[in-house]
Amino acid sequence: MNVLNFDFISQPIENIRKEVICGVVGSGNLEVLVTPLANSENSKFIIDTSVTGFDHIWEAVLQDFSSRYAVGGLEFKVNDMGATPAVVSLRLSQAINILEDESHG
Amino acid sequence: MDNSHIQQSFYEKTARNRIASIVDKNSFQEVLKPGSIPVSPNLASLDIVGSFDDGVIIGQAKIQNEPVYMIAQEGKFMGGAVGEIHGAKIVGMLLKAIEEKPKAIIFLVDSGGVRLHEANAGLITISEIMRAMLKVRNAGIPIITVIGGTNGAFGGMGICACLSTHVIMTEEGRLALSGPEVIETIKGVEEFDSKDRALVWRVTGGKTRYLLDHVDFLVEDDIEDIKQGIVEALQQPAVDLDLDYLQQQQAALQSQYDQWFGEKDSIPIWQSMNIDNPESISMLSAQQIRAIKKG
């Protein structure tokens, strides 16, 4: 098990005060829990992954995500069981979609 | 595009989506939300990544405006296996029901049984779930179990499922004690060929469990159908678990055992139940199977 921590500068997200969870910790998949932070300048990532040796890939994928979306002021906690970079990006985008969708309970 | 002909599969949904699609819109209030409780320390000590909800989601909701408790196991996380926190969440929800008296507890089972990584803690928690389920039934609150997920209900969860007031199954759901691969490993492929999927489903699947009276409802793998099964089960009176009832059940099982012990497949059993074309059972819809049972 490998725990990674990242902080990136990102555009602040507006008026989000709820938590979101999506995905499942299954083979080749991950779950992500999104919670609001007090500081809105940065996006924070805590990655718990079963795979070692891919720290720079995580960094690249999460940096790309933080520049693509306004996620400043959000913390992403990830439990990962060997998801590929594409699946990681997909789940994170999905979390943002759910977060922005008011109708979602 | 018109997607109305595509059924809403229960089997393919995650536990969270199963709850959301069954209960009244936006009525689900999760208890012990992800992030508010620790992840499994037993998995962490084995260097295995845990899950925020430890593979089970619990909470309160409404179904057709009736208050119910929901428990849903996530089959994709470690096969829905029951670990220490996972089990404690289920037990807690069951015991809370005795105080708060919801209309029913809906238990969406999807589990291979005990999480072996958590060894004794997992085994103990299974027995705690069993005891709590019996307490809930003694308090007059029905437990409606749905088996229709990828892992079915095996091992300890197979026993727990059978302690429910009502069991609703789909053909895809499976219910048994030892899993097919366990039987094959211990008794050999002549006893049970776990690779023969048709055989596995004929022996453990929802259709045969329904025909043998081991479960009360057989429905299609469709959210609407399952919801209707739950609503029907909610309307049925809960049977008292008294000595007479248990002896009746025991006698019924004994007579099945006497009649069919040693059969290697369900087809000869269906045949001796005087079902026409027993080979065709696997191809029939849930509705057609219900019609056969009613005669």
Side-chain angles (χ1 to χ4, degrees):
Chain A
M1 203 164 68
N2 194 10
V3 182
L4 308 171
N5 281 283
F6 298 103
D7 264 295
F8 297 108
I9 293 172
S10 182
Q11 292 292 315
I13 191 161
E14 287 170 12
N15 297 331
I16 300 283
R17 285 281 149 245
K18 60 177 179 179
E19 298 189 349
V20 154
I21 185 163
C22 80
V24 171
V25 196
S27 180
N29 208 337
L30 58 83
E31 71 178 347
V32 53
L33 174 67
V34 189
T35 45
L37 288 172
N39 164 3
S40 64
E41 303 294 307
N42 288 42
S43 58
K44 199 171 155 62
F45 296 86
I46 303 166
I47 315 292
D48 208 338
T49 170
S50 57
V51 190
T52 53
F54 288 86
D55 303 13
H56 59 295
I57 309 259
W58 277 103
E59 188 173 0
V61 169
L62 300 177
Q63 179 136 48
D64 175 65
F65 171 74
S66 298
S67 60
R68 230 172 340 121
Y69 291 89
V71 288
L74 292 180
E75 181 184 69
F76 297 82
K77 279 198 196 126
V78 172
N79 287 325
D80 166 62
M81 225 177 248
T84 60
V87 173
V88 175
S89 294
L90 180 78
R91 283 279 170 259
L92 291 171
S93 310
Q94 193 185 359
I96 296 302
N97 281 338
I98 296 173
L99 201 61
E100 287 172 348
D101 180 7
E102 288 299 324
S103 64
H104 189 90
Chain B
M1 204 171 80
D2 178 24
N3 284 338
S4 60
H5 62 285
I6 298 176
Q7 65 184 27
Q8 280 281 315
S9 172
F10 176 89
Y11 185 87
E12 292 179 18
K13 281 183 161 37
T14 62
R16 270 173 208 288
N17 288 339
R18 284 174 187 166
I19 292 179
S21 61
I22 284 173
V23 304
D24 295 355
K25 201 162 187 268
N26 294 333
S27 70
F28 182 63
Q29 297 287 333
E30 185 167 357
V31 171
L32 300 181
K33 284 187 177 176
S36 69
I37 51 167
V39 298
S40 167
N42 303 315
L43 291 180
S45 66
L46 292 169
D47 233 14
I48 297 172
V49 176
S51 173
F52 294 121
D53 48 35
D54 209 36
V56 67
I57 294 129
I58 57 173
Q60 296 136 350
K62 288 193 168 168
I63 292 181
Q64 293 197 343
N65 244 353
E66 301 274 15
V68 293
Y69 278 11
M70 301 295 299
I71 304 172
Q73 293 178 305
E74 176 51 70
K76 296 262 164 47
F77 176 64
M78 312 206 82
V82 180
E84 194 173 5
I85 293 178
H86 181 120
K89 284 173 79 176
I90 297 175
V91 172
M93 208 60 201
L94 288 165
L95 296 181
K96 189 169 148 71
I98 298 173
E99 289 170 21
E100 312 250 318
K101 304 242 183 304
K103 176 88 178 170
I105 295 171
I106 318 291
F107 197 172
L108 312 181
V109 171
D110 191 353
S111 173
V114 172
R115 188 183 296 164
L116 294 177
H117 313 73
E118 307 204 9
N120 295 355
L123 287 164
I124 290 166
T125 207
I126 287 276
S127 57
E128 285 175 347
I129 294 172
M130 287 162 59
R131 181 182 290 200
M133 287 180 82
L134 293 173
K135 273 190 189 163
V136 167
R137 289 196 60 179
N138 270 339
I141 301 158
I143 303 172
I144 300 167
T145 288
V146 179
I147 306 172
T150 40
N151 297 286
F154 285 99
M157 281 317 299
I159 304 176
C160 291
C162 293
L163 297 178
S164 319
T165 317
H166 302 290
V167 181
I168 299 170
M169 274 185 94
T170 66
E171 179 182 16
E172 287 78 359
R174 293 169 296 160
L175 170 63
L177 192 54
S178 299
E181 284 169 37
V182 176
I183 298 173
E184 185 180 324
T185 305
I186 292 170
K187 301 285 277 187
V189 70
E190 312 79 31
E191 178 70 22
F192 201 43
D193 183 357
S194 68
K195 300 282 185 305
D196 185 344
R197 293 171 73 81
L199 172 71
V200 169
W201 262 265
R202 274 201 305 276
V203 173
T204 65
K207 281 178 177 170
T208 199
R209 291 291 174 219
Y210 177 73
L211 288 171
L212 288 170
D213 266 334
H214 299 163
V215 302
D216 319 288
F217 297 89
L218 180 73
V219 295
E220 289 296 340
D221 174 34
D222 178 75
I223 292 293
E224 278 312 311
D225 229 27
I226 288 172
K227 211 191 287 188
Q228 208 184 327
I230 292 173
V231 169
E232 252 176 73
L234 277 171
Q235 285 156 359
Q236 289 198 3
V239 200
D240 282 336
L241 277 183
D242 54 17
L243 189 60
D244 275 354
Y245 174 77
L246 293 178
Q247 280 174 337
Q248 237 173 53
Q249 294 271 300
Q250 176 67 25
L253 289 173
Q254 184 67 45
S255 90
Q256 291 189 343
Y257 178 89
D258 294 341
Q259 205 175 346
W260 296 311
F261 181 74
E263 291 291 0
K264 300 274 188 198
D265 199 331
S266 291
I267 292 175
I269 295 177
W270 295 334
Q271 197 145 32
S272 72
M273 291 168 78
N274 293 322
I275 292 171
D276 294 334
N277 295 324
E279 295 82 8
S280 69
I281 289 282
S282 309
M283 305 307 293
L284 300 180
S285 69
Q287 196 180 7
Q288 286 169 312
I289 300 283
R290 290 197 295 262
I292 287 177
K293 192 165 165 184
K294 287 194 185 104

